[in-house]
Amino acid sequence: MAAAAEDDAAVSEAPVIPSVEDFLGDPSFWSPDISPSGRYLAGIRRSKGEDYLVIIDLEAEDFAPQYRPLEDMFANWLEWVSDDRLLISLSGVVNARNGKQMTREEIEAWTDKSMKVPVEFTRLVSMQPSTGSAVAMFGDSRKMTRNYSLGRVTDFLPEDPDHILMPARLQGDLDLFKVNIVDGSFERIATGSEYTYRWYTDRNGEPAFRLNVNSRGTVITIYAREDRENGAIKWRNIRTIRLKDEDTNDGALEFQILYPGPTDTTYYISARPEGTDFAGIYLYDFEKDEILEPVRTSDRVDIERAYFNRDTRELLGVFYFDDRLIIEMQDPGIQAHINGLNAYFGNEANILPMDSSADGKRWLIQASGPTVAPSYYYYDIDRTYITELSEIRRTLRGKTLAGSQIIQYTARDGLPLRGYLTRPVQASADGNPPLIVMPHGGPEMRDYMDFDRDAQILVAQGYQVFQPNFRGSSGYGKSFAESGYGQWGRAMQSDIEDGYASLVERGLADPGEACIFGYSYGGYAALAAATLTPELYRCVVDGAGVADLEAFLRWKRNEEGTDSEDYKYWIKQIGDPKDDKDAIAAVSPVDHADRIVRPLLMLHGTEDAIVPFDQSKRMMKAMEKTGRPAKLVELKKSGHTYMSDEDEQTYYSELISFLKEHLPVE
């Protein structure tokens, strides 16, 4: 009986491996926020395709949530401005012909082919949760009739609880408005231009920066305020910066605007001053265009982000990524709580404080890691009490995720590198599951120890996944990133190969039992592997990768202009088509399709504006000329950074079917 009981217990505690479907689709819960007093928590719950406003009284014994349906609207984010008022950004769809909002049923049944799509709109609404009464910012002003994007806030004006600052387009220009959150009335306080896309204000709520963007959304120009004696504002161009592809930041590592500083003309920024290798946090005077002093720098990794108190505008601390998320708070007592939370999760999760009550006593945190599905938690400092509020994706509740380990290795030229290996939970200790080498995109991006959806999907299928941070990756300083310039298909590629070889040498992977799969730059790396080391991997999967380097550069030049920052950047990355034509062709996959001997799958969104779908068409045409098999899957409702639900299902179904056929798991 005792043995049987032990066996039953062992069965009941067996890991539950998530299915592919568990990872896909929309999140179940997002944008939680704590009210200023710390009593209430609000968030958005999606159930059966509909969005609900969720309110939780944190002082109630059972934390029982209250739900309010948002009917035909979709929620983007929310934030408390007081304990009895919420701001909610909502999106909907309007019939462009008659100007009327469409219901969910009308959207789903839309068949009018004479108009490509109904028009999406976003509005910011001020709501009293206790009564349900709501008012839209800008009201029903005719001036804003054709403004379909009214959902962003520039400044919550903590000293003026009845107003916020919002950007909105008026006669084509993105201007800055002061909006009354009680009745929706507004007044313009600053004028931008048709190219303006973002505003920043100083600690007093006055305009400090205006950011303009080029027509392609790839280069920004930063203008700083310069006050004149007559009270007028002059905007001075302080710098032009190329935005990273696949990035939502407002600048590259050289200069990112963070938060108002301690005086009227200062700002905290993340920057990489001239002559420095690593990005850090600095105090900056925008009137003088001068970096005043460092706040936090490192000689190992880039530091880009910081915590601020929205009410007092104080700097609370900084955070950055090494192998895991590192948080350094100014207050030693607060740091002790951060350390304690890390210990609570076994130092296996990245703990990210997202919001707190005005007195700092109640926190909202997000936890995520290789073995921790992203979830939100409530933490009470006085009681050192923590409780889970919700997973971001409820389908992962109770499912077992796989852990990762750091792999340090040395490239063939002696450069120290590191990557991350994730092994299946169900794998035996003395066996090596088939390996998927998965280089990241960018290439100026990086991987770190966290929940990675693609890695976990593959690991749940029985594969182990290796993610190398090859030279050219971001996060390790300017020199490391620039060491990848001109190394596409060369040292960047051999760094990936050396990582695989290191795993084999350590007995963590078997030779000849690996496929390579990557997206964006990772897709190029997969194609380069297929043509430059054709027998190294058993199969190759390219997701939206560059296949024809010369054509890609030509497209960039035509789109951006020869003198643009974006085109100059890509010449540094790949080479100059005038001076380096032969060198570029030597590592351009489309020029060497005849070398490919392994099965090839390509997946690409037809609406991709970062790596054109034409790149995959060119590669497929080259493969057809060789007479060798290859498959191109067209994702007809997807771009580079988004996929429709239907395309997402197709993407992972095709990927897993291909891998199982050519690299089966025993």
Side-chain angles (χ1 to χ4, degrees), residues 29-106:
F29 184 76
W30 68 94
S31 193
D33 196 59
I34 291 181
S35 67
S37 72
R39 175 170 182 175
Y40 299 105
L41 180 135
I44 307 299
R45 170 75 72 195
R46 178 162 294 174
S47 178
K48 297 180 180 179
E50 295 193 24
D51 289 356
Y52 295 83
L53 170 64
V54 182
I55 305 290
I56 299 174
D57 186 343
L58 297 173
E59 294 182 0
E61 290 186 7
D62 56 1
F63 276 21
Q66 298 179 358
Y67 295 91
R68 185 182 297 277
L70 297 176
E71 298 177 346
D72 295 315
M73 302 294 284
F74 301 87
N76 303 307
W77 57 265
L78 59 78
E79 186 143 357
W80 293 94
V81 289
S82 67
D83 267 33
D84 61 357
R85 190 171 294 276
L86 274 170
L87 289 176
I88 310 178
S89 172
L90 300 171
S91 291
V93 175
V94 66
N95 186 320
R97 287 183 173 175
N98 58 27
K100 294 182 179 180
Q101 183 181 346
M102 300 175 67
T103 66
R104 290 173 183 265
E105 291 76 13
E106 288 173 333

Side-chain angles (χ1 to χ4, degrees), residues 334-460:
I334 299 299
Q335 185 64 49
H337 284 280
I338 295 291
N339 297 342
L341 287 167
N342 273 298
Y344 175 82
F345 286 95
N347 292 308
E348 292 185 353
N350 296 313
I351 309 302
L352 185 66
M354 301 183 63
D355 189 30
S356 72
S357 56
D359 62 7
K361 298 294 186 180
R362 296 179 175 184
W363 291 7
L364 174 69
I365 66 172
Q366 178 180 318
S368 68
T371 61
V372 179
S375 303
Y376 296 114
Y377 290 79
Y378 165 67
Y379 179 63
D380 187 309
I381 280 186
D382 287 341
R383 295 188 293 155
T384 59
Y385 168 78
I386 185 170
T387 186
E388 183 177 11
L389 296 169
S390 177
E391 308 91 340
I392 293 177
R393 196 174 297 278
R394 296 182 76 179
T395 49
L396 292 175
R397 173 180 283 275
K399 309 296 172 61
T400 303
L401 302 176
S404 300
Q405 63 187 97
I406 302 167
I407 302 295
Q408 299 185 57
Y409 66 100
T410 303
R412 62 192 64 181
D413 64 357
L415 181 67
L417 298 169
R418 60 206 304 119
Y420 308 100
L421 180 66
T422 308
R423 293 170 64 88
V425 174
Q426 64 272 38
S428 62
D430 58 351
N432 288 328
L435 177 71
I436 307 297
V437 176
M438 194 171 76
H440 61 70
E444 284 193 53
M445 298 176 71
R446 64 156 296 184
D447 286 313
Y448 52 92
M449 298 273 280
D450 201 0
F451 173 86
D452 185 293
R453 187 175 74 160
D454 280 0
Q456 291 292 339
I457 286 175
L458 294 172
V459 168

Side-chain angles (χ1 to χ4, degrees), residues 27 47 84 144 179 248 382 406 491 494 540 547 561:
S47 178
D84 61 357
M144 299 298 175
V179 185
T248 58
D382 287 341
I406 302 167
S494 62
V540 176

